[in-house]
Amino acid sequence: MSIKTFKGGVHPGYFKSLTANLPVVSMPLPEKVIIPLQQHIGVPCEPLVSPGDEVKVGQKIGESSGFVSAPIHATISGKVTKIEPYEHPLGRPVQSVFIEADGQDSWHEAGGGTQSLADLDAGEIKKIIREAGIVGLGGAAFPTHVKISPPADKPIDTVIVNGAECEPYLTADHRVMLERSEDVVFGLKAVMKALDCKKGYIGIEDNKPDAIEALREACAEEENIEVIPLHTKYPQGAEKMLIEVITGRQVPSGGLPMDVGVVNQNAGTCVAIAEAIKEGRPLVERVVTVTGPGIEKPANVKVRLGTIVREVIDYCGGMKEDTRKLILGGPMMGLAQPTADIPVIKGTSGILVLTEREVVVSDIRPCIKCAKCVDVCPVNILPNFLGLAGEQGLIERSEELNALDCIECGCCTYICPAKRPLTQWIRIAKAEITARRNKK
Amino acid sequence: MENKLIVSSSPHTRTPETIESIMTDVLIALFPVALVSVLLFGYQALLTIVIGTLAAMVTEALILRKKDIFGDGSAAVTGLLLALTLPPAPPWWVVVIGSVVAIGIGKHVYGGLGNNLFNPALVGRAVLLISWGTNLAGDVWALPQPFAFTADVSAVTAATPLVTQDVTLFELFLGNINGSLGEVSALALIIGALWLFYKGHIDWRIPGGFIGAVFVLGFLLGGGAYENALMTGLFHVLAGGVLLGAFFMATDMVTSPVTPRGRLIYGIGCGVVTMLVRLYGGYPEGVTFGILLMNGLTPLIDNLTVPRKFGEVKK
């Protein structure tokens, strides 16, 4: 088993054993859901329903004419009570559809699928994926049909399923790969067919030997799909790192994976694609790892989108008294939330609750130029100097220092003995650089 | 509990390592070196070490107006390193002046921790060397009296092996020779350095470049009293302050380059200047000036050795 790796990276505590061996459980249907009309990168959707309307599970309730967008579906059956802005995991209120359950869980056009790949051409696959509202479930939530529709001058020869799950604590992808191996492979084959691409890889960190084994079995018959064990190191699952490790190609600075002929798909996304094609099911639920020392009973939970995070946490025994941080996603790149009254959205891979013990608030100290950040930076920029520039608001200097190449993995901040929030400063500089460029 | 939820930018997990823990690791790494010096040079070595370290800590606490005299530990490291570059029994006030200059002028005039251009301990030592040189040069170096803790080692002095070139390489390695407190035992220095390597506080580039350059230049140009060029090269590595400088001084995080290539270039530069001073300069030893000169070049080296970023498009 050859183990491949990349330059830099860190080894934070993984804490995956909290949930790694717990099979996915389905949460009972919520009484109400609040479904934001933007759960993806791109154009927000317009509502297709009005307050008072009856909706069924899987019925499209939000749509946009923009290409870079993904439709939104009802995730429970019931009655639309209101449509108004509501708190959103990304920080700003977003127009959201409130649905009260009727307890029936009746499906819209139930079982419209059962199609096999052989009957579908590339265009049809893309259309099914778009109509199902599928976006990257790893966290970024980029619309999948856009990802698999590269311009003609960017031929794709490789599809990589990202099963690295390098974020500490999270095990949703791990469980999905283990329990839904066949569907992961099916989803990969669908994407390969949509892209007319001959080679598929599934990259998995070697701390998940059972998932590696399961997927090797699931694709034993597939000559052109290979499971690649990866070195367990954060950020192994960052797309640029994953592509370099598996194909040896470096995504050019400022470029996209398609510039080197590669498309990445998260393992969970592959399962969503399989469900859309085989069963005609749009994306109405996802697996979320609910974990952390602040959760009474950590679990991998299948949750309807739009379920309030507080209810999911309560389902897992609730938050402990000394809770200090609620994070959507993992501890390295997740977003800290001021409240648990926000909905689970398509990109919610984890609900992580940390207590007083883990949340250490430290003073920012002077940089001692230890260069540990330089050594761990996977994209080879100089976070220490970027931090100094960012701290002083020197935007042009940040740009010279390649701030825009930062993938915000957080390794520099993690490793810094002076507890300098380097990633945060770089993020601010990036936003400012981009804003200035857009103004020109 | 809800109103106590903290919102901050990711990442939400941090290494337990702190500036304090790094400084403590350096102090731990210097322990074998200090111990050997006390075993060889007795109570006078212990006094010099204690005075140098305490003077540095007190100076820093006064400048920062803080009662916690250990603080972040960096002053203790500076004071200890300075003491380890001195002879076993210099006048106490020389040690104090060295520490005050190291912390005051070497560090705080630049703005304190992280901002100084030159290694503070070496700034202190350079000032002593130039201003009170009779205490640090020529034949003032006490001969060791192993395990005689109360002996007055300053009674018998001589020039160091760097000048006399009359000791075996094995003696140089073990350290039963005269010289600065911290430079005599290569073995103790290597043990300390291994700890720093293990903890990831130093990488091979700076010491490797430094020691490599000293060895190569010693091999090629060393001449001298040893049987062959190989031994002469090794002599230049083991004698004097090269190992102390290469493992503990040149690797000072604040004053060395951050880029990987820069670290190597800087290390080689330290070795080259050291050897130029030793072989052709006015002082028998060049480690202090070698490192200080390269400290001065550090910002320039960093600017000239920016690594190739991931996916950089060739122009």
Side-chain angles (χ1 to χ4, degrees), chain B residues 30 33 81 84-85 180-183 189 210 240-251 287 291:
Chain B
L30 286 169
V33 182
L81 277 174
L84 292 175
T85 67
S180 308
L181 288 175
E183 73 181 26
L189 287 162
F210 196 151
V242 167
L243 293 185
L244 179 63
F247 290 132
F248 293 97
M249 301 279 198
T251 53
V287 171
I291 296 174

Side-chain angles (χ1 to χ4, degrees), chain B residues 104-118:
Chain B
I105 300 188
K107 183 175 175 186
H108 282 284
V109 293
Y110 291 97
L113 182 70
N115 296 310
N116 47 299
L117 183 57
F118 298 101

Side-chain angles (χ1 to χ4, degrees), chain A residues 354-365:
Chain A
L354 301 178
T355 65
E356 235 161 38
R357 269 192 62 199
E358 297 80 41
V359 181
V360 181
V361 181
S362 320
D363 289 339
I364 299 171
R365 308 282 295 279

